[in-house]
Amino acid sequence: MVDILAENLSGKAVMSSDGTELGDLYNITMNLESGELNHLLVSPHEQLRQERVDFEFDEMGRLRVPVANVQAVKDYIVVAR
């Protein structure tokens, strides 16, 4: 697996595996004790309707996408729904 620096991911577009553009990566949460990554925090695109998304929203209106849902990182971060 190729290593990717977190600084290269900031602002990267996030898309679901069905081609729906979800938004842009805002941040990544992690467990400070174990170092395990938890969630991608995604700033949703304005045209994205909440009823079309299976992910939770945080108190700031960002999507909380489990890291386990990440399928690929290239031009987009592709996540399973």
Side-chain angles (χ1 to χ4, degrees), residues 22-66:
L22 300 175
D24 299 316
L25 182 65
Y26 174 75
N27 211 340
I28 301 171
T29 64
M30 68 180 286
N31 180 316
L32 293 177
E33 292 179 8
S34 68
E36 180 180 13
L37 300 178
N38 294 328
H39 293 92
L40 304 181
L41 296 179
V42 179
S43 298
H45 288 162
E46 288 183 16
Q47 68 273 16
L48 182 68
R49 296 191 330 255
Q50 285 189 352
E51 61 271 7
R52 291 203 59 202
V53 181
D54 299 330
F55 302 115
E56 296 177 8
F57 285 82
D58 71 4
E59 62 278 354
M60 300 299 292
R62 294 182 292 250
L63 294 166
R64 291 173 42 96
V65 179

Side-chain angles (χ1 to χ4, degrees), residues 12-28:
K12 189 172 273 294
V14 179
M15 176 185 290
S16 69
S17 56
D18 69 0
T20 302
E21 290 192 33
L22 300 175
D24 299 316
L25 182 65
Y26 174 75
N27 211 340
I28 301 171

